[in-house]
């Protein structure tokens, strides 16, 4: 068996943090729909539009849940079928048997890629419908503004506050962008360093054919090889990534709070006309819905790329190691291959567990989070309406992007 010398591919990574990001975006989506639905209850046309989009999103979450279950099932199949099959083929020196298992695995992965691609397209279509809904709400807002004949001093003061908030939000967004650029540079530095380290160890080259090149995989290379300066380099980069991640989360939390504050200020912009204020708030809510759906879509696009990368790696593994009549007679090489399979099993068990958590999140969202649609907002008394609005706003304020601790960052970069 020829020595495997595949390089670390640096164009994609799949982090366990996707579960928390998915949870945050999905939960915010339902709450933002709820707020819009309550705000537009006095306008039947807009209430109907919001209801339609909320129901479509609920169904979309249900379909996303099904896709994630496919990921759970395929991860389990890799652990219970592919890897034991590869071990058997290596131990019995039967490359054709390994090829059979790898080709069967390819059909599973192709099925997932098609399913994820379909759901990504559906998110794109849903976002287009939400954008059309936003346009309808804005049109109603403009018509209401035409009927508005005067502005109070208080309204002008609030308008100034809104302008300042928008400016602060813009600066915050630029700060997040700068952190993301720096983060990418650091990740690239880690990956380049890992490539250089991996060339020094034969078993690491084999492992790179079995496990996607995630941050945790890259650190497994560092753990497999000890060399002067490697530990210090790994520690320094982990600390810097931890700091960048912490700073990014703080800025994301600040952005979320500023958006909530912006909503409240925009409600005050028309204290003499509650209808106008509610329409303005609903525009903000729906734009945030659009953003949340886009974030979930990005996660699913990453999921598709992940499986495409897995498919490519397994195909390369087949062509490099199992196309000959015999595998290898070298005892050490066989043991290294078997050890790499054991590490891969740990990775795929963890990945399957993360997909199961994500599936559970979307299950809750598709079943329970849209029960507010069962009650027409126009049927609520003013007191009850205000109580519900404040309750939802409180929940929205409590949702934060979770800030990983330094220990969590280190664990992510050291464990398979």
């Amino acid at each position: 068996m020829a020595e495997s010398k595949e390089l670390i591919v640096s164009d994609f990574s799949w982090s366990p943090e996707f579960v928390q990001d998915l949870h945050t975006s999905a939960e915010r989506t339902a709450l933002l729909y709820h707020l819009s639905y309550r705000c537009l209850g006095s306008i039947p046309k807009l209430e109907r539009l919001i209801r339609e989009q909320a129901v479509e999103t609920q169904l979309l979450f249900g379909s996303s849940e099904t896709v994630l279950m496919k990921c759970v099932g395929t991860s389990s199949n890799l652990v219970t079928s592919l890897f034991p099959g590869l071990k058997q083929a290596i131990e019995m020196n039967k490359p054709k048997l390994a090829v059979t298992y790898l080709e069967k695995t390819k059909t599973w992965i192709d099925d997932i890629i098609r399913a994820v691609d379909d759901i990504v397209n559906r998110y794109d279509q849903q976002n287009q419908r939400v954008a059309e809904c936003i346009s309808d709400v804005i049109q109603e807002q403009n018509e209401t503004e035409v009927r508005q004949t005067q502005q109070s001093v208080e309204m002008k003061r609030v308008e100034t506050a809104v302008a300042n908030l928008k400016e602060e939000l813009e600066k915050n967004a630029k700060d997040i962008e700068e952190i993301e650029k720096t983060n990418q540079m650091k990740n690239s530095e880690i990956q380049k360093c890992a490539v250089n380290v991996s060339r020094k160890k034969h078993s690491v080259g084999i492992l790179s054919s079995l496990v996607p090149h995630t941050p945790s995989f890259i650190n497994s290379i560092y753990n497999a090889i000890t060399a002067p300066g490697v530990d210090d380099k790994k520690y320094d980069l982990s600390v810097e990534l931890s700091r960048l991640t912490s700073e990014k989360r703080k800025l994301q939390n600040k952005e979320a709070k500023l958006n909530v504050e912006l909503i409240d200020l925009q409600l005050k912009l028309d204290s003499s006309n509650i209808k106008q204020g509610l329409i303005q708030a609903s525009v903000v809510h729906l734009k945030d819905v659009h953003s949340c759906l886009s974030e979930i879509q990005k996660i699913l696009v990453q999921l598709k790329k992940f499986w495409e990368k897995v498919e490519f790696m397994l195909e390369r593994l087949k062509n490099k190691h199992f196309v000959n009549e015999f595998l290898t007679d070298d005892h050490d090489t066989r043991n290294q291959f078997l050890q790499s399979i054991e590490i891969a099993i740990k990775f795929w068990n963890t990945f399957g567990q993360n997909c199961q958590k994500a599936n559970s999140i979307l299950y809750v969202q598709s079943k329970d989070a849209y029960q507010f649609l069962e009650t027409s907002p126009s049927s609520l008394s003013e007191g009850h309406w205000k109580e519900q609005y404040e309750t939802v706003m409180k929940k929205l304020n409590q949702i934060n992007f979770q800030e990983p601790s330094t220990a969590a960052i280190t664990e992510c970069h050291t464990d398979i």
Side-chain angles (χ1 to χ4, degrees):
M1 183 183 299
E3 182 178 356
S4 176
K5 296 182 179 179
E6 290 83 4
L7 298 178
I8 301 294
V9 181
S10 61
D11 61 344
F12 176 69
S13 62
W14 182 253
S15 169
E17 290 178 12
F18 86 93
V19 177
Q20 180 57 44
D21 291 340
L22 180 67
H23 189 185
T24 300
S25 295
E27 191 174 2
R28 281 178 58 82
T29 298
L31 292 172
L32 290 163
Y33 268 131
H34 192 168
L35 288 175
S36 290
Y37 188 63
R38 293 293 175 229
C39 287
L40 300 177
S42 60
I43 308 172
K45 172 189 172 184
L46 298 183
E47 177 190 342
R48 175 179 56 80
L49 290 175
I50 299 297
R51 174 186 287 275
E52 289 175 355
Q53 300 316 314
V55 169
E56 286 296 326
T57 299
Q58 184 181 18
L59 295 174
L60 191 54
F61 283 168
S63 298
S64 304
E65 171 198 342
T66 302
V67 170
L68 285 166
M69 275 307 298
K70 283 181 176 289
C71 294
V72 174
T74 299
S75 300
S76 176
N77 286 339
L78 292 175
V79 171
T80 60
S81 179
L82 173 64
F83 293 135
L86 290 180
K87 289 174 67 175
Q88 183 182 16
I90 294 166
E91 291 167 349
M92 299 175 64
N93 207 3
K94 292 185 175 181
K96 290 184 178 180
L97 179 62
V99 170
T100 299
Y101 278 106
L102 287 167
E103 289 179 347
K104 184 177 181 181
T105 302
K106 185 179 185 301
T107 62
W108 302 335
I109 296 175
D110 283 340
D111 183 48
I112 286 181
I113 291 173
R114 285 192 298 270
V116 178
D117 188 52
D118 177 68
I119 204 70
V120 166
N121 290 333
R122 288 180 59 186
Y123 271 93
D124 189 53
Q125 294 167 6
Q126 179 59 24
N127 249 341
Q128 291 179 28
R129 288 191 288 265
V130 171
E132 292 170 0
C133 184
I134 292 171
S135 296
D136 290 334
V137 174
I138 290 175
Q139 182 180 352
E140 180 69 24
Q141 174 188 346
N142 292 337
E143 292 173 357
T144 304
E145 286 177 345
V146 170
R147 296 191 292 267
Q148 184 178 346
T149 58
Q150 61 180 10
Q151 281 188 322
S152 66
V153 174
E154 173 64 15
M155 287 171 63
K156 291 180 179 179
R157 185 192 68 78
V158 175
E159 282 180 344
T160 301
V162 167
N164 292 337
L165 263 182
K166 289 181 177 178
E167 184 178 343
E168 189 173 359
L169 277 168
E170 184 176 344
K171 179 181 180 302
N172 198 76
K174 290 180 179 178
D175 290 342
I176 291 177
E177 183 179 357
E178 287 299 318
I179 286 179
E180 287 176 342
K181 289 180 180 178
T182 306
N183 210 334
Q184 289 175 2
M185 291 173 59
K186 292 298 178 181
N187 273 309
S188 178
E189 187 176 352
I190 288 178
Q191 290 163 347
K192 288 179 181 178
C193 188
V195 168
N196 294 330
V197 174
S198 68
R199 291 172 178 160
K200 301 177 183 178
K201 188 74 174 180
H202 173 65
S203 62
V204 173
I206 296 174
L207 177 59
S208 70
S209 298
L210 296 172
V211 179
H213 304 105
T214 61
S216 57
F217 167 75
I218 291 170
N219 244 283
S220 72
I221 293 177
Y222 285 123
N223 293 337
I225 301 175
T226 57
V230 170
D231 286 341
D232 291 341
K233 182 71 171 177
K234 180 179 68 173
Y235 176 78
D236 291 341
L237 289 173
S238 294
V239 169
E240 180 64 8
L241 281 172
S242 176
R243 185 191 68 78
L244 289 170
T245 301
S246 176
E247 187 63 24
K248 178 182 175 182
R249 292 304 188 194
K250 289 178 181 177
L251 289 171
Q252 287 175 321
N253 288 331
K254 180 181 178 181
E255 182 180 47
K257 291 183 182 300
L258 287 174
N259 273 317
V260 171
E261 187 178 350
L262 181 61
I263 290 170
D264 281 339
L265 285 176
Q266 287 180 320
L267 277 174
K268 296 175 183 177
L269 272 176
D270 194 0
S271 58
S272 63
N273 189 334
I274 188 64
K275 178 180 177 181
Q276 171 66 6
L278 291 174
I279 291 176
Q280 289 175 334
S282 294
V283 172
V284 176
H285 298 323
L286 289 173
K287 286 181 178 179
D288 284 345
V289 166
H290 194 281
S291 297
C292 288
L293 291 177
S294 294
E295 287 301 315
I296 296 173
Q297 185 181 20
K298 288 178 184 177
I299 291 172
L300 293 171
V301 168
Q302 287 184 330
L303 182 60
K304 179 188 174 185
K305 290 181 179 179
F306 172 83
W307 284 112
E308 288 173 341
K309 180 67 66 179
V310 172
E311 184 176 46
F312 170 78
M313 291 167 58
L314 292 179
E315 182 67 18
R316 183 173 61 186
L317 176 70
K318 181 183 75 174
N319 294 334
K320 285 205 170 188
H321 299 298
F322 298 108
V323 293
N324 299 319
E325 185 177 354
F326 298 101
L327 292 173
T328 180
D329 294 325
D330 184 72
H331 179 74
D332 289 340
T333 300
R334 287 194 182 196
N335 284 340
Q336 290 167 0
F337 215 131
L338 293 174
Q339 290 172 4
S340 295
I341 290 175
E342 292 300 322
I343 295 175
I345 287 173
K346 293 179 181 179
F347 169 85
W348 283 105
N349 276 328
T350 301
F351 177 78
Q353 291 167 6
N354 285 332
C355 287
Q356 181 65 63
K357 292 177 184 176
N359 168 265
S360 301
I361 290 167
L362 291 177
Y363 176 83
V364 171
Q365 290 299 312
S366 65
K367 301 299 180 185
D368 302 329
Y370 291 82
Q371 292 181 354
F372 63 86
L373 295 172
E374 297 174 3
T375 304
S376 173
S378 59
S379 66
L380 300 176
S381 66
E382 183 177 347
H384 194 189
W385 183 97
K386 185 177 180 181
E387 179 184 349
Q388 286 202 4
Y389 184 87
E390 290 176 349
T391 298
V392 178
M393 287 292 289
K394 182 178 180 180
K395 290 181 180 178
L396 194 60
N397 272 313
Q398 290 173 343
I399 298 176
N400 284 325
F401 292 92
Q402 294 299 308
E403 181 180 328
S405 64
T406 303
I409 292 292
T410 303
E411 180 180 358
C412 176
H413 284 271
T414 56
D415 296 334
I416 293 293

